[in-house]
Amino acid sequence: MRRRIPTRSVLAAALLVASLLTPLAAAPATAAQPPRTSVGEDDCPRHELDPKLVSRLDTAIEKVRREAGIPGVVAGLWMPGKGSYVRATGVADKATGRPMTSDVFVRIGSETKTFTVTALLELVDDGLIRLDDPISRYIHGVPNGHRITLRHLAEMRSGLYPYTADADFQHDLLSDPARSFTPREVLAYGFKHKNTFAPGAKFEYSNTNLVLLGLVVEKVSGRSLTDFLDERVLRPARLHHTLLPRDFEFPRPHPRGYTNQTLTGEVADSTDWNPSWAWAAGAMISDLRDLRRWAKIVATGTLLRPETQAERLTMLPTGFPGTKYGLGIFESGGWIGHNGSIPGYETVTVYLPSKKATLVLMINTDIFSEGQEPSTLLARAITEIVTPDHVYARPIPPK
């Protein structure tokens, strides 16, 4: 049976369950050394959290890592007034036993959506587009495109079929993971299907929406999405280690990534798979320092006009208890941001406005554990300890 190739999220509760990785011999958790540029900045003290709290976090992270079969974890938590916590544990390479370190680059999957939507909203601020413009004004050939707005796409309420759910796409990608896909090619897989509902009727997570928004940014700006993001988003945000790769580019150091999203279901090393199929929806790369900075920027709207940020943070129900979705961003237990999943890697980058706290997680597998994403299990375990009134992806209580 062919497996789906979703850009997974905390919202994707109905996805197929994957088999577990065999638990690995643990590399000891270490207090991370400062990466290329120190992660201690802004209003957060450089000293660690209370030692007892640190011990609880170390134990919880290692417990989840072992039980979920996660090879390596990088975790960063910054809480103004209380301190910070940065740890790397496990391995970056299962074959060599190379330990995970805090200075690695990783593929950030669907966190890319927060960057693409920021680019779109900057064009709104420039007066070049409006959120309620139909997609047909910019891109031809979109099913029901005269009724689907840019807002519908950013909210995941367009009704367009997710191209990643198409069986031919899944087979073509997994048969040749090095293949380069163009945005138009991946959209064609989705456009073969009827739309799943009327625009605005409900929530459905779909990469189709974000690939279209990436094309809008290119058409309106007259620049490639890579160049526009670099000039208008990454440089102003001072994110010097974040990029939308043009091909197989993957800066070092980076951990090996492991997935079972394969034709056979066997675990494979997906480190060098071509991420072009995810493009504006999930192909970006970043590191701990940049994601820490980005968490606050995207949640507070530093790069946008206040009224535009308010539009972004207008959260609507998703159908998943405790989680709402705005314009390319979600809120879960009070934490605002996004997670990411692409074969071999998962991340979480969220900000808690009430505490001005930031949480960043980076791991080198996307293999489900008991039906849940391993990054979600980690984020939940951490927030249960440090912000018990604001738990990320709080599980549904039994009836």
Side-chain angles (χ1 to χ4, degrees), residues 1-264:
M1 180 173 143
R2 293 173 183 164
R3 291 216 36 223
R4 292 178 65 177
I5 310 299
T7 299
R8 297 169 176 151
S9 76
V10 64
L11 311 169
L15 296 179
L16 297 179
V17 178
S19 59
L20 298 179
L21 277 173
T22 303
L24 301 165
T30 59
Q33 297 300 312
R36 288 169 291 276
T37 306
S38 175
V39 295
E41 57 183 54
D42 300 334
D43 55 356
C44 188
R46 294 173 183 266
H47 65 267
E48 273 205 331
L49 295 171
D50 178 82
K52 291 183 180 179
L53 191 57
V54 166
S55 178
R56 291 180 64 195
L57 289 170
D58 286 345
T59 300
I61 289 172
E62 191 60 16
K63 181 175 185 290
V64 173
R65 192 186 73 78
R66 286 177 173 274
E67 291 180 351
I70 304 169
V73 174
V74 177
L77 176 67
W78 297 269
M79 304 186 73
K82 293 187 176 181
S84 59
Y85 173 91
V86 177
R87 286 291 188 276
T89 183
V91 297
D93 186 329
K94 295 196 295 182
T96 66
R98 173 167 58 95
M100 184 68 95
T101 57
S102 65
D103 62 348
V104 293
F105 290 88
V106 296
R107 302 192 188 279
I108 64 172
S110 280
E111 288 197 36
T112 303
K113 293 175 173 65
T114 62
F115 293 91
T116 299
V117 172
T118 297
L120 182 85
L121 295 178
E122 289 192 333
L123 294 175
V124 171
D125 280 351
D126 292 344
L128 298 176
I129 62 173
R130 297 179 304 169
L131 284 171
D132 294 318
D133 288 343
I135 185 62
S136 61
R137 180 171 298 176
Y138 306 99
I139 309 297
H140 298 299
V142 180
N144 206 22
H146 65 291
R147 294 187 56 209
I148 296 171
T149 67
L150 305 184
R151 187 189 303 275
H152 288 140
L153 295 167
E155 290 174 340
M156 301 292 182
R157 292 174 177 268
S158 70
L160 291 169
Y161 188 87
Y163 68 83
T164 53
D166 177 78
D168 291 332
F169 167 76
Q170 295 168 18
H171 180 269
D172 292 347
L173 173 62
L174 295 183
S175 296
D176 182 11
R179 173 178 169 175
S180 181
F181 290 87
T182 68
R184 288 287 188 174
E185 285 175 338
V186 296
L187 289 174
Y189 289 103
F191 290 173
K192 298 187 305 185
H193 300 267
K194 292 182 179 179
N195 291 9
T196 55
F197 52 83
K202 62 180 182 178
F203 175 92
E204 182 180 41
Y205 196 80
S206 172
N207 284 347
T208 301
N209 298 325
L210 268 291
V211 170
L212 282 168
L213 292 182
L215 290 175
V216 170
V217 171
E218 292 196 330
K219 184 177 182 66
V220 174
S221 71
R223 311 198 57 188
S224 71
L225 180 61
T226 296
D227 288 345
F228 189 86
L229 286 172
D230 187 57
E231 179 182 334
R232 294 292 303 276
V233 180
L234 303 180
R235 291 184 192 175
R238 305 202 310 278
L239 305 182
H240 304 304
H241 304 112
T242 302
L243 66 149
L244 177 62
R246 298 180 188 271
D247 45 36
F248 288 94
E249 184 178 8
F250 198 170
R252 294 180 182 276
H254 58 251
R256 309 302 296 180
Y258 303 95
T259 188
N260 63 354
Q261 294 198 73
T262 59
L263 287 177
T264 64

Side-chain angles (χ1 to χ4, degrees), residues 314-338:
T314 300
M315 302 287 180
L316 299 175
T318 63
F320 298 87
T323 301
K324 297 180 179 180
Y325 205 87
L327 302 179
I329 196 168
F330 67 60
E331 182 272 324
S332 180
W335 293 88
I336 296 173
H338 218 289

Side-chain angles (χ1 to χ4, degrees), residues 39 105 115 234 237-243 285-295 297 349 360:
V39 295
F105 290 88
F115 293 91
L234 303 180
R238 305 202 310 278
L239 305 182
H240 304 304
H241 304 112
T242 302
L243 66 149
I285 294 166
S286 191
D287 72 352
L288 181 66
R289 175 192 180 274
D290 276 13
L291 292 179
R292 181 270 169 99
R293 283 189 58 80
W294 183 242
I297 289 169
T349 298
V360 177

